[in-house]
Amino acid sequence: FLLNAEKTFFYEKLIFDSSKRTQERKSVINSRLLVHLFPFEKIPKGSRIVIYGYGDVGRQFLAQMNVSGFCKVIGIVDKNAKLLKRRGYDIQAIEKIVDMDYEYVIIANASKTIQREIKDGLESIGVPDHKIISVVEREYQIDNGRTIK
């Protein structure tokens, strides 16, 4: 594991790099970019993951994986897969998750209530509880390249 200072530097660089690359849509609050940090501490490096949700959080998680190479994203599922596919995104319907060879499903939604609903839905289609990872409540704001926690 990284020392605290190294870990902080790594996270801040990763947040800044991924926020610069996420150009499609941004959560802007008071002229600051709101960044959701991938739950690195909950998943072993190199794991095969599915990201559930392609809103702001899901897009940021995908960008962070592209920058860091920490995990292999083998699929993205979303309840609006049909609409997203029409717009050119390679997003699968939630039901397709049962056909994927994943180690973890990352719920990319900041709302605890919605996370619970998603988790219940995943369990109902056969995804084991120990493979479902919810987002920790941790957000960062980027203001002119400076990280504000």
Side-chain angles (χ1 to χ4, degrees):
F1 289 112
L2 299 170
L3 299 172
N4 284 340
E6 292 172 325
K7 192 174 186 179
T8 299
F9 174 77
F10 172 76
Y11 282 164
E12 288 182 358
K13 179 173 178 8
L14 184 63
I15 289 167
F16 183 70
D17 287 351
S18 68
S19 68
K20 288 192 318 189
R21 292 177 189 221
T22 305
Q23 295 300 318
E24 296 173 46
R25 185 173 168 207
K26 297 175 184 163
S27 298
V28 178
I29 297 177
N30 298 328
S31 304
R32 293 182 179 155
L33 176 63
L34 184 60
V35 179
H36 303 275
L37 185 62
F38 184 85
F40 293 96
E41 70 284 353
K42 292 184 172 186
I43 302 163
K45 186 173 183 168
S47 297
R48 294 179 321 279
I49 66 168
V50 172
I51 296 175
Y52 185 118
Y54 199 60
D56 289 339
V57 179
R59 287 182 173 127
Q60 289 181 28
F61 284 1
L62 179 60
Q64 290 171 42
M65 291 304 94
N66 289 339
V67 169
S68 70
F70 188 80
C71 290
K72 175 153 178 56
V73 179
I74 60 146
I76 301 169
V77 299
D78 192 282
K79 67 180 181 181
N80 296 314
K82 285 184 182 181
L83 173 64
L84 292 164
K85 277 184 176 264
R86 283 195 302 258
R87 293 182 179 171
Y89 296 103
D90 186 21
I91 310 296
Q92 302 300 313
I94 296 161
E95 301 78 36
K96 297 286 184 184
I97 205 165
V98 297
D99 300 325
M100 296 180 184
D101 182 26
Y102 61 88
E103 293 173 279
Y104 298 97
V105 177
I106 314 306
I107 299 175
N109 192 294
S111 165
K112 288 292 181 194
T113 303
I114 294 173
Q115 284 182 30
R116 182 74 239 162
E117 292 170 7
I118 291 169
K119 187 171 192 252
D120 291 345
L122 287 170
E123 289 173 345
S124 75
I125 61 171
V127 177
D129 178 66
H130 69 278
K131 291 188 172 196
I132 302 171
I133 306 295
S134 296
V135 178
V136 294
E137 289 186 19
R138 179 178 56 201
E139 297 173 342
Y140 292 82
Q141 290 184 2
I142 304 295
D143 184 16
N144 295 325
R146 186 171 49 98
T147 303
I148 305 167
K149 295 179 184 177

